[in-house]
Amino acid sequence: MPSGTETPLGPDTPTGMEVHDYLKQHERKGILRFLTCGSVDDGKSTLIGRLLHDSELIYEDQLDAIRRDSKTTGTQRGGVDLALLVDGLQAEREQGITIDVAYRYFSTAKRKFIIADTPGHEQYTRNMATGASRSDVAVILIDARNGVLPQTRRHSFIARLLGIRHLIAAVNKMDEVDYAERVFDEIRNDFLDFASRLAVDELQFIPISALHGDNVVHPSDNMPWYRGATLMHLLETIQVAVDKDAERFRLPVQFVNRPDAAFRGYSGTIIGGTIRPGDPVAVLPSGRSSTVARIVTMDGDLDEAVAPMAVSLTLADELDVSRGDVIAAPRELPHTAERFDADLVWMSEDDLVLGRTYIVKQGTRRVTGRVQAVRFRVDVDTLGHEPASTLRLNEIGRGEVVLTEPVVFESYGTNRSLGSLILVDRITNATVGAGMVLPPGGAVHGAAWDEAPHGDLHAAVSRVESGEREARLGQRPVTVLLTGLAKSGKTAVAHAVERKLFDAGHLATVLDGQSFRLGMSRDLGFTSRERSENVRRAAETARLMNDAGLICLTAFVAPEEAVRERAREAIGGDRFLEVYLTAPLEVLKERDEYGLYDAAEEGEANVPGVNADFEEPESPDLVLATDSLTVDACADEVVALLRRKHHIP
């Protein structure tokens, strides 16, 4: 155990290793941000204290202080109350609860961690949302004595709403129920029934006792019936996908740096992508273009900068750039609008008032705006959608936000920094709501994307976990959307990929647009709304196939970017790849044995690329020029993509 004066290198430091070498090794470790959440008194703070204690990451003087404080403010009847390590507020210690979000940092031999310990009380739900907004994994504590409570469901739903797709359900206080496997199984089945509607990528269950350390860092001798990993092992090995927007350059301007008349720099933190001097950029919302002249920092100019570095950019041209503008790569621009839909978490004791003017903070911009309409409120017990005209404290719903001027944004699922907002009361200056922006077009193309199911419906829960399927099939499920104009070769390439995967021992299936319209979508035509609904049905089908462990190859024109993004969100970003097949229009017409393009030119058919719009994908995972590549070569490229993304060995 390190003393109060030692350098906290931790137990993973090899004997005799030079500090410099250790620090170099330390820098190469990845960081996992996770939060603990759940209902009140489920043991969140005690769990974090136990993680640090059993990993030998608490200083001796800290432990001595906790022993002393345990005698006066602890809850363990003379024992050491490890919750005091993170319950730092006086009010927290007096009541034995967590009020504010407490952050703790620690490191093991495999990873660095940032923990957000969030409060369980319903009145502090806003604090839990704050902790979840920057986390990759949620550890949801469930008291074995009480089972799944409404606040457990609320926190789980908020975690998923805020983009967390990896959940660990830790059934705590197993010592209070005599470590009974029956109790664990009942809670597991109850939570599975609820979580099946959350569309998470990974859900793990662990029976633990944070008080005694069972299955936290070390395996438990008290629960021989549990053969899974400890919590620490899961945290060290869980794989979190990189944000989809990581390769798109984005820099929200925080301030214009003018130390003298000779220098004008635009300062901010890069929230995505890479930038170099000479790179072309666009400034939004004006849309003006320029190139990067210099990348300036306190330590001198850089040849390259990446997220999340704080830099000042100078541009080759004199442009009007202000705080709140966004400098972005010109071919991958975010959206600009003054009206959009957002999922809202209401944080004020005063109800949301439709039409009332609030201050809206989004990115680095501060504007005024209002919630024009509430489309629905979410019942956190059933996840059903209820009609609503307002939102009350801790309620969650979807609203239409209207601003007084355009802002630059992405959907929250694409970029958390540009996809989040907060609403502030103009009189009290208190934060009253938080929002997660939805992609444009979600409500435009018909209500089916957002429409709640009829009745009190519940999805059946599989007793086979995703990890078991992956181990059995030797593959990670994914949906590959092959998009492009008619006759670009989407279906032919999809079937060629299916053949190659099958020959290699993998299981894949094909959904192509024409076959889909012969059955599932035989009632649909070819209007923009009906095309959107066709893609929605395909996305839901593909998601079910992914849940079964299959690789799903989908071949659809899907002409609108917003609809393709909704499909990505429905399936899950970690399970979605986009492949754009392209060829000159003349080549496509030559391949058209059915006269589809001729009919479009004569006004007898509605065909994207001729008499209807086709929006090229903004950032596909792969582009295939089918006028120069054979079908077999295209299939090889798709298989190689699956390997690079680790969906097949």
Side-chain angles (χ1 to χ4, degrees):
M1 188 74 67
S3 70
T5 58
E6 290 178 339
T7 303
L9 299 185
D12 55 296
T13 309
T15 303
M17 175 181 276
E18 294 292 338
V19 172
H20 177 75
D21 295 334
Y22 171 78
L23 293 177
K24 278 292 186 183
Q25 176 184 336
H26 186 72
E27 288 175 0
R28 291 192 292 268
K29 296 178 187 175
I31 297 179
L32 180 74
R33 294 173 172 86
F34 72 94
L35 81 154
T36 56
C37 58
S39 192
V40 65
D41 200 30
D42 280 347
K44 296 176 289 296
S45 299
T46 302
L47 174 63
I48 294 176
R50 176 59 64 183
L51 272 172
L52 300 179
H53 179 274
D54 287 8
S55 300
E56 299 183 7
L57 297 170
I58 304 178
Y59 290 113
E60 285 289 356
D61 55 353
Q62 286 179 305
L63 193 56
D64 288 340
I66 293 172
R67 290 191 184 104
R68 291 193 303 270
D69 292 342
S70 296
K71 296 177 182 178
T72 56
T73 57
T75 61
Q76 300 306 322
R77 299 179 181 177
V80 178
D81 188 355
L82 294 175
L84 298 180
L85 185 68
V86 285
D87 285 345
L89 299 177
Q90 182 67 26
E92 292 179 324
R93 296 193 170 199
E94 290 173 352
Q95 300 178 56
I97 63 171
T98 300
I99 296 174
D100 202 358
V101 182
Y103 292 94
R104 286 295 180 271
Y105 167 87
F106 72 97
S107 175
T108 67
K110 297 182 179 179
R111 243 180 189 159
K112 293 180 283 188
F113 299 91
I114 298 176
I115 317 171
D117 180 29
T118 62
H121 276 69
E122 184 174 346
Q123 70 187 94
Y124 301 120
T125 297
R126 58 186 179 274
N127 296 20
M128 179 269 163
T130 301
S133 64
R134 293 295 176 186
S135 298
D136 305 308
V137 176
V139 179
I140 301 165
L141 272 291
I142 304 173
D143 191 326
R145 301 169 302 177
N146 302 325
V148 179
L149 299 175
Q151 190 70 338
T152 313
R153 297 186 180 94
R154 180 179 286 107
H155 279 197
S156 303
F157 178 66
I158 292 176
R160 178 62 190 88
L161 192 67
L162 287 165
I164 299 177
R165 307 187 70 92
H166 303 269
L167 305 183
I168 300 174
V171 182
N172 192 23
K173 304 187 181 181
M174 289 297 295
D175 54 300
E176 298 282 354
V177 294
D178 297 326
Y179 299 102
E181 182 180 10
R182 174 188 55 80
V183 174
F184 174 74
D185 287 341
E186 289 175 355
I187 293 174
R188 180 179 181 274
N189 293 338
D190 188 14
F191 191 78
L192 268 175
D193 182 53
F194 170 77
S196 63
R197 289 161 278 165
L198 290 178
V200 296
D201 289 347
E202 185 172 8
L203 174 59
Q204 302 275 1
F205 289 86
I206 305 178
I208 67 170
S209 170
L211 180 62
H212 300 293
D214 295 277
N215 288 332
V216 178
V217 175
H218 306 295
S220 171
D221 293 332
N222 295 311
M223 291 177 279
W225 46 266
Y226 174 73
R227 297 179 178 84
T230 64
L231 177 61
M232 178 61 83
H233 179 78
L234 276 181
L235 293 174
E236 287 185 325
T237 58
I238 194 168
Q239 297 298 314
V240 179
V242 178
D243 286 344
K244 170 181 175 286
D245 213 46
E247 297 181 357
R248 300 181 177 186
F249 174 71
R250 306 278 190 265
L251 185 139
V253 177
Q254 291 179 293
F255 71 97
V256 180
N257 190 357
R258 291 293 313 271
D260 53 57
F263 183 88
R264 182 193 299 270
Y266 307 108
S267 302
T269 299
I270 300 174
I271 60 173
T274 303
I275 195 70
R276 302 174 184 86
D279 283 354
V281 291
V283 178
L284 299 175
S286 69
R288 299 288 301 276
S289 300
S290 184
T291 57
V292 176
R294 297 171 57 193
I295 304 173
V296 183
T297 70
M298 289 288 291
D299 299 321
D301 286 16
L302 301 178
D303 295 328
E304 180 181 89
V306 300
M309 297 173 64
V311 299
S312 293
L313 300 184
T314 67
L315 303 181
D317 304 285
E318 292 288 338
L319 301 182
D320 181 12
V321 183
S322 305
R323 174 182 170 85
D325 290 351
V326 175
I327 302 175
R331 287 179 57 83
E332 303 169 341
L333 296 178
H335 309 288
T336 302
E338 67 276 357
R339 182 188 297 262
F340 47 78
D341 278 10
D343 288 323
L344 301 173
V345 180
W346 198 248
M347 301 176 172
S348 173
E349 294 183 358
D350 297 326
D351 296 352
L352 165 66
V353 178
L354 296 182
R356 174 179 289 178
T357 300
Y358 296 97
I359 297 169
V360 180
K361 294 182 179 180
Q362 182 271 336
T364 56
R365 187 176 290 272
R366 180 185 175 107
V367 300
T368 56
R370 65 187 186 276
V371 179
Q372 182 72 17
V374 176
R375 302 201 185 280
F376 57 78
R377 178 175 53 231
V378 177
D379 182 334
V380 296
D381 289 322
T382 65
L383 299 185
H385 297 172
E386 303 172 340
S389 59
T390 186
L391 294 176
R392 298 181 175 85
L393 177 64
N394 294 326
E395 288 187 338
I396 303 163
R398 180 164 298 172
E400 180 187 13
V401 179
V402 179
L403 308 177
T404 54
E405 59 185 88
V407 297
V408 181
F409 68 93
E410 296 273 30
S411 68
Y412 185 84
T414 298
N415 187 307
R416 290 189 181 186
S417 297
L418 287 182
S420 59
L421 60 88
I422 62 172
L423 302 175
V424 179
D425 187 278
R426 294 194 304 161
I427 306 301
T428 65
N429 206 37
T431 299
V432 296
M436 286 64 68
V437 181
L438 294 165
V444 173
H445 302 297
W449 288 99
D450 305 306
E451 193 174 83
H454 296 290
D456 186 17
L457 303 177
H458 301 280
V461 179
S462 174
R463 295 297 182 261
V464 182
E465 296 185 355
S466 59
E468 295 178 278
R469 297 182 194 274
E470 292 177 16
R472 174 69 60 84
L473 299 176
Q475 62 189 39
R476 288 178 54 228
V478 64
T479 292
V480 181
L481 172 62
L482 294 98
T483 181
L485 296 177
K487 303 304 173 182
S488 59
K490 301 181 296 296
T491 301
V493 171
H495 283 292
V497 174
E498 180 189 31
R499 181 75 252 179
K500 288 178 179 291
L501 291 176
F502 185 83
D503 291 343
H506 300 292
L507 285 180
T509 187
V510 174
L511 296 179
D512 77 274
Q514 294 226 19
S515 297
F516 214 66
R517 287 181 176 276
L518 291 174
M520 185 74 73
S521 296
R522 68 176 62 182
D523 59 319
L524 298 179
F526 293 91
T527 65
S528 176
R529 180 188 179 98
E530 289 170 309
R531 286 183 181 275
S532 173
E533 172 60 13
N534 189 40
V535 174
R536 187 193 70 82
R537 295 179 186 181
E540 292 294 339
T541 304
R543 182 179 62 80
L544 293 174
M545 291 182 174
N546 287 165
D547 288 344
L550 301 181
I551 295 172
C552 189
L553 307 165
T554 64
F556 288 80
V557 175
E560 298 180 67
E561 177 74 6
V563 173
R564 294 193 293 265
E565 286 301 304
R566 291 308 299 265
R568 179 189 299 273
E569 292 192 350
I571 294 168
D574 295 348
R575 288 183 171 184
F576 189 91
L577 296 172
E578 187 177 45
V579 177
Y580 177 36
L581 282 69
T582 179
L585 191 59
E586 295 74 19
V587 174
L588 302 181
K589 290 180 179 178
E590 290 175 3
R591 297 174 179 170
D592 181 17
E593 70 274 26
Y594 298 113
L596 184 65
Y597 282 100
D598 291 339
E601 291 175 348
E602 296 174 3
E604 298 176 358
N606 185 21
V607 178
V610 180
N611 55 357
D613 291 335
F614 180 87
E615 299 174 0
E616 293 189 5
E618 292 182 2
S619 184
D621 297 282
L622 180 65
V623 178
L624 299 173
T626 61
D627 57 318
S628 58
L629 293 172
T630 65
V631 170
D632 196 60
C634 289
D636 286 337
E637 291 286 337
V638 176
V639 173
L641 173 65
L642 292 172
R643 288 200 180 98
R644 289 197 302 273
K645 298 294 185 178
H646 307 295
H647 290 287
I648 59 175

